[in-house]
Amino acid sequence: MGKRSLRIETIRHVHCTVLRASGELDHAGRVRFSARINDVWDWSPGPVFVFDLSELNFYDSSVIGVLAMVMQRMEEESSGRIILVNPSEHLMSVLRLTDLLSHVELRGSVEETVAELMVQAEAAGNLGGSGILGGNTIGATGVMGVNGPASRD
């Protein structure tokens, strides 16, 4: 897989779904990323999506398209949370300019975010199991399973 291709990793936790994207997110990548989000929409209550986009080495307005699609669907369903971990200064600037920053939560790391969500769920009496259910990585050449069965996009 070349440096330019988009790689999408999804990890299913009890109370959230982590989506890590690396490589280049352009129009073709936006279509794949949006489809993957739709595939995992029901993996967590809400849903709660934790986006780690820190390893994207290129993105255009497609990153806004992906986040806006998620926000719109959450608004239609009156449910859900979007958490961005460690966003770049450039992404923060774009989110401010497009007025999307007020619709996302910001955190420092995926691990801290997952732990925080588990503590919140435990306090609310909703903790189940170890917190990790499964996930997969989707790249240009196929799928590698992580903590569970894998599927192709």
Side-chain angles (χ1 to χ4, degrees):
M1 183 181 336
K3 288 183 180 181
R4 295 175 50 102
S5 62
L6 177 67
R7 182 177 170 95
I8 305 164
E9 177 185 7
T10 56
I11 303 171
R12 183 178 188 177
H13 294 270
V14 172
H15 302 291
C16 68
T17 300
V18 175
L19 296 116
R20 283 191 171 115
S22 59
E24 293 191 2
L25 178 55
D26 55 12
H27 176 71
R30 180 192 59 78
V31 172
R32 286 185 49 234
F33 202 10
S34 296
R36 186 65 190 141
I37 291 167
N38 286 327
D39 289 345
V40 302
W41 192 267
D42 295 321
W43 277 13
S44 66
V48 176
F49 289 128
V50 178
F51 287 95
D52 182 354
L53 308 176
S54 62
E55 293 186 28
L56 286 175
N57 53 36
F58 170 83
Y59 56 87
D60 56 17
S61 61
S62 296
V63 72
I64 298 304
V66 168
L67 294 173
M69 180 272 303
V70 173
M71 289 176 201
Q72 181 179 2
R73 184 165 171 191
M74 287 181 175
E75 185 176 302
E76 289 169 0
E77 296 181 7
S78 300
S79 181
R81 292 170 67 185
I82 298 172
I83 302 170
L84 293 177
V85 296
N86 199 22
S88 69
E89 284 301 316
H90 178 63
L91 181 57
M92 290 291 293
S93 176
V94 170
L95 292 171
R96 277 187 208 98
L97 289 171
T98 57
D99 200 30
L100 296 178
L101 188 57
S102 63
H103 299 280
V104 301
E105 300 172 45
L106 303 175
R107 299 291 188 280
S109 77
V110 169
E111 295 76 14
E112 290 174 9
T113 303
V114 171
E116 176 186 329
L117 292 168
M118 288 182 68
V119 167
Q120 289 173 359
E122 185 176 77
N126 297 328
L127 187 61
S130 67
I132 299 176
L133 299 178
N136 60 55
T137 302
I138 300 174
T141 59
V143 179
M144 175 183 75
V146 177
N147 298 324
S151 62
R152 296 189 186 276
D153 73 336

